[in-house]
Amino acid sequence: MIQPAPTTSDRFSWVTGTGARNVAFIVLVLAAVVAILSSRSKLTVTRCSCDSNIVIYLVVNDDYFELSVVMLHSLKRHLRRNHRLVVMHSDHLPNAHLSETNRASLRAHLGVRHFWNVDAQWMNKVKLANRKAYPALLALAVFENKTDDIIVFLDADMLVLSDFSDIFDELDDTHVHGSSSSWWQSYINTGMFCVTRKFLDEADRVQTLHDYVAHIRRDFKQHEGDQDIINACFPVKNHDWRTNYRPRTNDGMKNFRIVHWAGMTKPNGVRGACTTTEKPA
């Protein structure tokens, strides 16, 4: 049986009745899809802008120059995220000097453009028995940063074996972040650590360091290294990033993304504070 063609009133009823509700539903669905796509686009833009505001600090002195060349080459080869590199040294602390010849070499061969001659006279008040340990105190100066979104510190006696870009997406704004094999989650090895600008903006972190150094000198008549100072002053979070481990064997190095000759004799023969090769950082 042939159905009669819809009349004008029937067509009008579809638009104003059930059909109108269908149209409204479709419009709402399309609006939701547009909103989702728009939010994803905004998230992507945020991640990209963060890329341009990552700074990596490395302390280099003349004794560690050869190690730093290898370290910087490995960093340049493997890290995929955009970042700004700053080499720290100081004419104001014992054993923290980096000659102009070595700086020129880093510029020419590794493209290092930013050098920071840290004026850290207050660090001289931390009386260390081992003068070779003074350059490590420069790590404390990174807490002065107020311009970059993510601040990373790496020791010169490290070697980057693979990309570690993903760790930057795991940082919160309430901790100093690190990675070591220690079962003690509230203590990190500071050969590699990360903080966010929001963490630094929450309080005067540099003043906290100043006050603590003054406290241990006045009340305990002793010194502490940068690692103990950072762990004592700030809340820390220990991650399983595999980015701060002493290498046990050449074959075992493949299990880590960054290895660290912490306290050990270095590959170029520079002696460390201990001789063991069996204890991860």
Side-chain angles (χ1 to χ4, degrees):
M1 179 177 180
I2 300 175
Q3 295 294 329
T7 63
T8 301
S9 61
D10 290 332
R11 294 191 184 98
F12 183 77
S13 174
W14 187 89
V15 172
T16 57
T18 303
R21 288 193 295 271
N22 290 341
V23 170
F25 177 75
I26 292 171
V27 169
L28 288 174
V29 170
L30 290 174
V33 170
V34 170
I36 292 172
L37 292 176
S38 175
S39 65
R40 286 183 178 177
S41 175
K42 290 177 181 177
L43 287 174
T44 301
V45 170
T46 301
R47 286 196 294 268
C48 290
S49 64
C50 182
D51 276 356
S52 62
N53 285 298
I54 296 174
V55 61
I56 298 178
Y57 290 103
L58 195 78
V59 173
V60 181
N61 65 356
D62 291 327
D63 290 340
Y64 275 59
F65 174 72
E66 292 179 352
L67 284 172
S68 70
V69 169
V70 177
M71 167 57 182
L72 290 170
H73 177 74
S74 70
L75 179 67
K76 187 175 182 179
R77 177 180 180 183
H78 292 292
L79 184 58
R80 299 291 181 247
R81 291 279 280 265
N82 295 330
H83 63 277
R84 181 168 60 91
L85 177 67
V86 178
V87 167
M88 304 170 69
H89 62 98
S90 180
D91 295 333
H92 310 284
L93 288 177
N95 289 50
H97 181 69
L98 182 64
S99 70
E100 177 55 40
T101 300
N102 285 337
R103 276 178 273 164
S105 182
L106 293 178
R107 290 189 193 97
H109 300 294
L110 287 167
V112 177
R113 295 187 297 167
H114 304 287
F115 292 86
W116 182 10
N117 184 8
V118 181
D119 184 8
Q121 294 287 2
W122 68 273
M123 293 183 190
N124 261 318
K125 298 177 182 178
V126 186
K127 301 299 182 181
L128 299 180
N130 182 1
R131 291 171 65 88
K132 290 186 176 180
Y134 271 87
L137 291 176
L138 294 184
L140 303 178
V142 306
F143 291 91
E144 297 178 12
N145 187 302
K146 295 292 185 181
T147 58
D148 297 283
D149 292 327
I150 296 176
I151 296 91
V152 183
F153 178 84
L154 294 172
D155 269 353
D157 60 342
M158 292 181 132
L159 185 68
V160 180
L161 301 176
S162 61
D163 184 39
F164 57 97
S165 299
D166 57 294
I167 73 171
F168 302 130
D169 299 320
E170 299 182 30
L171 306 180
D172 61 41
D173 301 321
T174 57
H175 295 85
V176 177
H177 299 266
S179 175
S180 66
S181 64
S182 172
W183 59 269
W184 192 8
Q185 293 298 305
S186 59
Y187 191 91
I188 61 172
N189 179 286
T190 55
M192 184 255 190
F193 65 87
C194 311
V195 292
T196 65
R197 183 173 63 183
K198 288 184 179 180
F199 173 84
L200 299 180
D201 287 342
E202 283 297 317
D204 190 340
R205 305 300 185 183
V206 175
Q207 188 61 50
T208 300
L209 293 170
H210 286 207
D211 293 343
Y212 182 76
V213 169
H215 162 64
I216 62 176
R217 290 187 68 248
R218 180 184 65 248
D219 298 334
F220 295 97
K221 310 297 182 183
Q222 66 180 17
H223 69 265
E224 292 188 18
D226 62 296
Q227 180 166 296
D228 288 332
I229 292 173
I230 291 173
N231 278 276
C233 286
F234 307 122
V236 299
K237 182 178 288 188
N238 193 347
H239 298 264
D240 185 22
W241 288 335
R242 308 186 76 78
T243 56
N244 192 353
Y245 288 76
R246 286 178 179 151
R248 300 183 182 185
T249 64
N250 288 338
D251 187 59
M253 289 172 65
K254 66 184 181 183
N255 297 319
F256 308 122
R257 297 196 281 182
I258 302 178
V259 293
H260 183 195
W261 280 269
M264 299 164 51
T265 297
K266 316 306 177 187
N268 67 339
V270 175
R271 291 188 61 80
C274 63
T275 58
T276 179
T277 60
E278 293 300 317
K279 183 180 178 183

